[in-house]
Amino acid sequence: MQAALPKYKIRGRDFFSSYVDLLEEFDKLSFTSDIWSELHSAVSLLSLTAHGISKDFRKKTIILKCEVMDERHTGTIISTKFQTILKEWGIDRQKVHCMVRDRGSNMVKAMQLSGFEDISCAIHQIQLCIRAGVESQEWLLQLIAKLKKIATHFNHSLVAQAELTKIQKERLNQSPLSVIQDCPTRWNSTFYMMERFSKLKDSLVLYLSANPIAMITPEDWINIQKFVQLMQPFEEITRNLSSSQISISSVIPLIQVLKTTLQQEETKPNTSEQFINFITKLRDELNSTVRFGNLVEEENYTIATYLGRSYKYLQKSPRHTIPIYVK
């Protein structure tokens, strides 16, 4: 490490042994796990992170391992990896309270084989809802494809980037912004792309009038703005649920916020028929039994929400109520 990164200071033995002691202190542990590909080294990695509450009621998170997955990503192999990592850290399976995983069939199978109680990752579920909603609307897919074509034009041309910057600085007296390209595996990158197009509207209109790559019609601009407005709560909730300090106590209230927001957007006078269809699909996905339809019947979520410190004042306040359900 001194040769590769001289300024990095490796933690001492006491640092790591303190985590071993902490793991022994916990009566119960919950875990999060995921599999992803590291493009630069061309390997797949399986992570396992432990979460617990210390004696002084502080949330603790410990990344146990990132295991290289050389084999096929089958449920059987993943299950074996999980149990091996737990054994390496001396964690008795009786301490495993719950595993949070995505809805991949291999992950679901791994939990079944391991005999662990498990729940689906709320962020992954939200992403699947949005993906299904977007893919159900041909007009929206065409709009996204058009914007991606324009974004690719700028990302592949330094001349185009320089011209757009010049328009912003000299003709519009604006601080220069660049076009953002979306990523197919992350729905919020589509949101960020459209949000940036909305901010760059004036400069892009001027640029496209002289460089006809693809025509963005007035109706397209209206749809871009409406999409950003509709997806803003989804983006905020995705970020909130991605915080290291969040817990599943927030899932029921935040999903309820999404449902209420969709209902409000549907009744607005400026909501077109095609957006009503889009909203209907999003709402159907959120209410689906394979997504969040049975959320209030799952004890892990309902009990966590009832005990969640963040919502205590709402339960006591006569002006604010959260739907709390406990079996």
Side-chain angles (χ1 to χ4, degrees):
M1 286 303 299
Q2 190 169 6
L5 197 63
K7 292 184 178 181
Y8 179 78
K9 293 183 179 180
I10 298 178
R11 300 281 191 173
R13 177 182 293 272
D14 290 344
F15 174 82
F16 294 101
S17 61
S18 67
Y19 278 114
V20 175
D21 295 337
L22 189 60
L23 287 171
E24 292 177 352
E25 174 187 319
F26 294 131
D27 293 326
K28 290 288 184 179
L29 285 163
S30 292
F31 297 85
T32 52
S33 182
D34 194 15
I35 298 176
W36 75 96
S37 297
E38 213 298 306
L39 298 178
H40 298 290
S41 54
V43 297
S44 292
L45 297 169
L46 169 70
S47 67
L48 187 63
T49 303
H51 308 268
I53 304 296
S54 63
K55 290 181 179 179
D56 58 351
F57 291 96
R58 295 182 181 274
K59 182 181 177 182
K60 299 293 184 179
T61 298
I62 306 171
I63 301 174
L64 300 180
K65 195 169 188 180
C66 287
E67 178 81 14
V68 175
M69 292 285 290
D70 291 326
E71 310 92 336
R72 293 177 59 200
H73 301 174
T74 64
T76 302
I77 291 174
I78 295 171
S79 173
T80 302
K81 296 277 188 185
F82 282 151
Q83 295 182 65
T84 300
I85 296 172
L86 293 177
K87 186 176 180 180
E88 288 174 353
W89 281 90
I91 299 173
D92 191 282
R93 63 182 295 111
Q94 299 302 318
K95 280 191 174 185
V96 179
H97 172 247
C98 186
M99 289 270 195
V100 181
R101 42 99 186 126
D102 63 30
R103 285 195 62 84
S105 58
N106 54 351
M107 276 291 192
V108 174
K109 183 68 173 178
M111 296 302 108
Q112 293 173 346
L113 292 173
S114 301
F116 297 140
E117 184 171 357
D118 60 309
I119 58 175
S120 298
C121 172
I123 298 175
H124 186 239
Q125 293 281 70
I126 291 173
Q127 178 162 322
L128 293 177
C129 290
I130 296 171
R131 182 186 299 174
V134 170
E135 290 178 351
S136 70
Q137 307 299 311
E138 185 60 32
W139 63 271
L140 186 52
L141 291 174
Q142 292 176 3
L143 176 59
I144 293 172
K146 184 187 296 187
L147 300 187
K148 287 176 66 174
K149 181 178 179 181
I150 296 172
T152 301
H153 167 75
F154 285 104
N155 289 336
H156 290 178
S157 173
L158 294 176
V159 175
Q161 293 178 34
E163 187 176 342
L164 184 64
T165 299
K166 184 177 180 181
I167 290 173
Q168 293 175 78
K169 284 183 174 180
E170 298 181 4
R171 299 178 64 177
L172 299 175
N173 194 27
Q174 297 175 343
S175 298
L177 295 171
S178 59
V179 176
I180 294 177
Q181 176 80 62
D182 86 327
C183 172
T185 58
R186 296 186 181 275
W187 84 263
N188 49 356
S189 68
T190 302
F191 169 82
Y192 295 138
M193 179 179 71
M194 288 211 183
E195 184 183 47
R196 182 57 57 87
F197 266 82
S198 183
K199 291 179 179 179
L200 291 172
K201 178 181 177 180
D202 293 338
S203 55
L204 283 171
V205 167
L206 292 172
Y207 180 89
L208 294 175
S209 64
N211 303 272
I213 312 157
M215 180 60 66
I216 301 180
T217 66
E219 182 182 1
D220 288 337
W221 287 117
I222 293 173
N223 288 337
I224 290 170
Q225 186 175 6
K226 184 67 175 179
F227 180 87
V228 171
Q229 179 183 337
L230 182 63
M231 291 291 105
Q232 184 74 50
F234 284 86
E235 191 275 336
E236 291 180 7
I237 286 173
T238 298
R239 278 192 290 108
N240 287 336
L241 290 175
S242 300
S243 168
S244 61
Q245 300 303 313
I246 206 72
S247 73
I248 66 169
S249 64
S250 297
V251 175
I252 289 178
L254 292 179
I255 295 301
Q256 186 61 40
V257 167
L258 288 181
K259 293 179 180 180
T260 302
T261 301
L262 290 176
Q263 186 177 4
Q264 292 172 344
E265 288 292 335
E266 187 177 22
T267 57
K268 287 184 176 179
N270 66 341
T271 303
S272 65
E273 188 65 32
Q274 56 190 13
F275 265 101
I276 289 177
N277 293 334
F278 180 39
I279 290 170
T280 299
K281 180 62 176 177
L282 290 174
R283 189 171 56 240
D284 289 345
E285 286 293 320
L286 288 173
N287 290 326
S288 168
T289 54
V290 297
R291 301 285 183 256
F292 301 105
N294 295 329
L295 194 59
V296 296
E297 297 176 10
E298 296 188 25
E299 289 187 352
N300 282 321
Y301 286 106
T302 53
I303 294 174
T305 306
Y306 186 78
L307 298 176
R309 183 177 59 182
S310 303
Y311 303 106
K312 285 296 181 185
Y313 77 97
L314 289 172
Q315 295 174 34
K316 295 176 181 178
S317 170
R319 294 181 302 164
H320 301 88
T321 57
I322 292 180
I324 304 297
Y325 303 85
V326 179
K327 288 186 178 179

